[in-house]
């Protein structure tokens, strides 16, 4: 049953991290708490078995009684920091509506875009400056 402020999301796709998740699967990641900024993950350990994943896009299929925009949410695609699953139940304020015209397969990269943008902000890159990007 849904809580009054929750929504049910039917998964369309989720993104497997080629960094953190692959290291956990291979057993090469040091045991530590998961991302304490993601609700519900602070008490999980970074070792299998665990419900991992943090980039899921799905379609809203049901809303709790207190969700003010329930009528406009049903059928909309949303992004959520949720584990890999066919369905998830999350608080309404834990999702971002995927704008029209953006495919689910593109929207799952929102955490990567957020990280890249944060790095640009932290580096104080300015228009006309040269930068080098390297990595995996």
């Amino acid at each position: 049953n849904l809580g009054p402020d929750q929504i049910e999301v039917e998964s369309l796709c989720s993104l497997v991290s080629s960094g953190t998740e692959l290291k956990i699967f291979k057993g090469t990641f040091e045991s530590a708490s998961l991302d304490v900024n993601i609700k519900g993950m602070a008490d999980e350990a970074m070792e299998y078995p665990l419900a991992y994943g943090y980039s899921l896009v799905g379609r809203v299929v049901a809303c709790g009684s207190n969700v003010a925009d329930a009528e406009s949410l049903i059928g909309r695609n949303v992004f959520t920091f949720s584990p890999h699953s066919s369905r998830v139940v999350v608080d309404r304020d834990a999702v971002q509506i995927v704008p029209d015209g953006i495919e689910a397969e593109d929207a799952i990269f929102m955490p990567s875009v957020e990280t890249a943008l944060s790095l640009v902000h932290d580096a104080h890159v300015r228009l006309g400056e040269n930068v080098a990007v390297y990595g995996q």
Side-chain angles (χ1 to χ4, degrees), residues 77-95:
N77 288 355
V78 294
F79 170 85
T80 176
F81 287 104
S82 293
H84 306 295
S85 182
S86 58
R87 287 182 182 259
V88 294
V89 173
V90 295
D91 290 340
R92 166 59 182 98
D93 61 2
V95 301

Side-chain angles (χ1 to χ4, degrees), residues 4 19 23 27 34 53 69 71 74 77 83 113 116 134:
K23 286 181 180 180
L34 289 177
D69 57 347
E71 191 173 306
I74 298 294
N77 288 355
V113 172
Y134 61 94

